[in-house]
Amino acid sequence: MVHIDYIIVGGGFAGFFLAHQLQKNNLSFIIYNGDQISGSHISAGVCNPVVLKRFSTFWKSKEQMEYLETIFSEIQCYTGNNYIIHEPVARIFHDEAERKQWRRNAQKEDLNPFLNTDFISLGSIENPLECGVVKNSCRIDVYHFFKDLFTYFKNNNCLVNESFHHQLIDTENGIYKNFKFKNIVFCEGIHTRDNPYFDKVPVLPNKGHCLEVKINQTIDPFIIKKKHFLFSLSDNRFYYGGTYDRFDQSDDIDPEFVGELENGLKAFYKNEFSITKVRTAFRATVDDRRPILGTHPEFKNLHIFNGLGARGVLNGSYFSKVMLDYLENQVELDPEISVSRFQ
């Protein structure tokens, strides 16, 4: 029997960021990572403190952006790489009213640090009304983040690449297979609906499509946003996405959403491009737009960390520290994020 502090179920942003917090605090853990592709794995990884539809901000945005540099510097200490790419978001204005709204909102105390009132014109795309730049925004190299951490945890015998079977948990004695555990944290995204301990928690699947496109021309080095995000990957490969669909529960690629993305890109990029890949996965969202942290009401060694939504990097990195402090230092959870709000 292997004695261990934590079992983490799920290998998306929630699971990997929590694993980092445990490692930093010298706590033993094993990650169960199944073969499902999660929304985390194909996400844009954009870290943006501004809601680009209304030019507003959101709860804990300042704290999340400040913590981002800290946690990725810590991760760099053992992977050798820092995954933050300092390319700011450039939001294409649709009309004159948006330009005026941007400038008005930039005078607000909570938005002034983020909304740059010096508009820019990008030469590689159609932007007749220019673009507003979000200061301090950036993105994460999602592919290499997961690739490197998967390899690191695997090499350190902290990751099992197999599905987790809830029915094998012995909650009374803290045993799962050959592990004697103190705690299990479920970071399962939409698959929490298959978890008999947390299946009543209202995590809502939101399906997203994204494209990988080939563009042979040089594109300005920004995260360009009109309806969706466009940014460079490497070797003339670009990310473009993603869509939102609360209704389709299948894993199938929907041609309607592929068409939406293709037309969205054509709306501001007038040169030729080709679609090389289409990906789809599900985000774990919550109606109140708050993540879900906490403990099962009966089984005190079972916990949940879920509901990161479309801001997986920001929510996952910041609230992984909150989760660690709750579990190890008995710091009370804010009622806005506690799973008890659903009980």
Side-chain angles (χ1 to χ4, degrees):
M1 190 70 65
V2 179
H3 288 254
I4 199 164
D5 294 314
Y6 285 86
I7 295 175
I8 298 173
V9 184
F13 284 129
F16 275 21
F17 280 128
L18 180 60
H20 164 71
Q21 301 290 355
L22 298 177
Q23 172 165 287
K24 187 174 73 168
N25 287 272
N26 299 312
L27 295 161
S28 58
F29 63 90
I30 191 79
I31 304 168
Y32 272 82
N33 179 61
D35 57 1
Q36 299 109 334
I37 299 297
S38 75
S40 297
H41 299 142
I42 71 161
S43 69
V46 173
C47 301
N48 170 35
V50 175
V51 180
L52 293 171
K53 187 174 182 179
R54 300 182 297 274
F55 310 147
S56 57
T57 190
F58 52 87
W59 189 60
K60 299 287 186 184
S61 61
K62 183 173 182 289
E63 294 90 337
Q64 290 183 15
M65 292 301 297
E66 289 174 349
Y67 187 61
L68 197 67
E69 294 283 351
T70 299
I71 192 169
F72 277 96
S73 293
E74 293 170 352
I75 292 171
Q76 184 178 10
C77 291
Y78 54 87
T79 68
N81 295 309
N82 191 312
Y83 305 97
I84 299 178
I85 299 172
H86 290 284
E87 289 178 354
V89 172
R91 167 60 153 79
I92 301 171
F93 291 120
H94 294 83
D95 50 41
E96 187 62 36
E98 285 195 336
R99 288 165 55 92
K100 291 178 180 178
Q101 185 68 47
W102 183 286
R103 286 204 163 103
R104 281 197 301 270
N105 288 11
Q107 305 309 311
K108 298 177 181 179
E109 184 178 354
D110 58 343
L111 285 163
N112 181 261
F114 304 129
L115 297 182
N116 192 334
T117 54
D118 294 326
F119 298 156
I120 63 171
S121 179
L122 303 182
S124 58
I125 61 168
E126 295 285 323
N127 56 134
L129 295 171
E130 300 181 303
C131 302
V133 174
V134 181
K135 295 181 287 186
N136 302 315
S137 56
C138 60
R139 63 184 175 90
I140 302 305
D141 183 344
V142 173
Y143 172 78
H144 286 102
F145 171 81
F146 281 112
K147 179 177 180 290
D148 290 357
L149 282 180
F150 183 93
T151 300
Y152 176 82
F153 291 139
K154 187 77 172 174
N155 289 344
N156 284 274
N157 299 313
C158 296
L159 187 143
V160 179
N161 197 27
E162 63 181 60
S163 298
F164 187 87
H165 300 284
H166 305 89
Q167 70 273 18
L168 299 182
I169 303 173
D170 179 347
T171 54
E172 183 176 351
N173 296 302
I175 294 173
Y176 178 78
K177 292 190 173 180
N178 64 321
F179 291 108
K180 174 75 173 175
F181 64 86
K182 293 181 181 177
N183 297 283
I184 299 179
V185 183
F186 296 104
C187 306
E188 299 167 294
I190 67 163
H191 298 290
T192 194
R193 61 191 175 187
D194 304 318
N195 181 334
Y197 299 100
F198 289 103
D199 58 341
K200 299 299 188 292
V201 176
V203 173
L204 307 173
N206 191 309
K207 185 176 181 178
H209 288 71
C210 64
L211 306 179
E212 184 180 299
V213 298
K214 184 176 182 181
I215 297 176
N216 290 323
Q217 286 77 21
T218 300
I219 302 293
D220 297 271
F222 289 87
I223 305 166
I224 300 171
K225 172 70 184 284
K226 192 170 187 181
K227 187 175 183 180
H228 311 99
F229 290 115
L230 173 72
F231 56 80
S232 175
L233 297 171
S234 64
D235 301 324
N236 298 323
R237 295 164 47 247
F238 288 78
Y239 175 100
Y240 188 68
T243 61
Y244 293 83
D245 180 5
R246 285 187 175 273
F247 303 104
D248 185 2
Q249 303 286 305
S250 75
D251 294 321
D252 299 333
I253 291 171
D254 188 331
E256 181 179 343
F257 284 99
V258 176
E260 175 188 316
L261 289 169
E262 187 173 7
N263 291 331
L265 182 52
K266 286 179 178 177
F268 66 88
Y269 183 71
K270 300 303 182 181
N271 296 316
E272 290 185 2
F273 64 88
S274 58
I275 299 173
T276 55
K277 290 181 183 177
V278 180
R279 294 187 176 94
T280 184
F282 291 90
R283 309 170 186 89
T285 65
V286 188
D287 272 341
D288 63 8
R289 299 177 185 271
R290 299 286 188 266
I292 301 169
L293 289 69
T295 299
H296 192 278
E298 180 181 353
F299 304 108
K300 301 305 180 182
N301 53 1
L302 304 183
H303 317 277
I304 187 170
F305 180 25
N306 205 322
L308 303 186
R311 299 189 184 97
V313 177
L314 286 177
N315 279 331
S317 56
Y318 180 81
F319 288 105
S320 67
K321 175 67 164 61
V322 173
M323 188 70 177
L324 186 282
D325 284 340
Y326 163 72
L327 292 169
E328 290 295 317
N329 303 319
Q330 292 73 55
V331 176
E332 187 175 347
L333 292 173
D334 189 311
E336 293 212 32
I337 61 173
S338 174
V339 68
S340 63
R341 70 191 192 269
F342 304 117
Q343 295 168 357

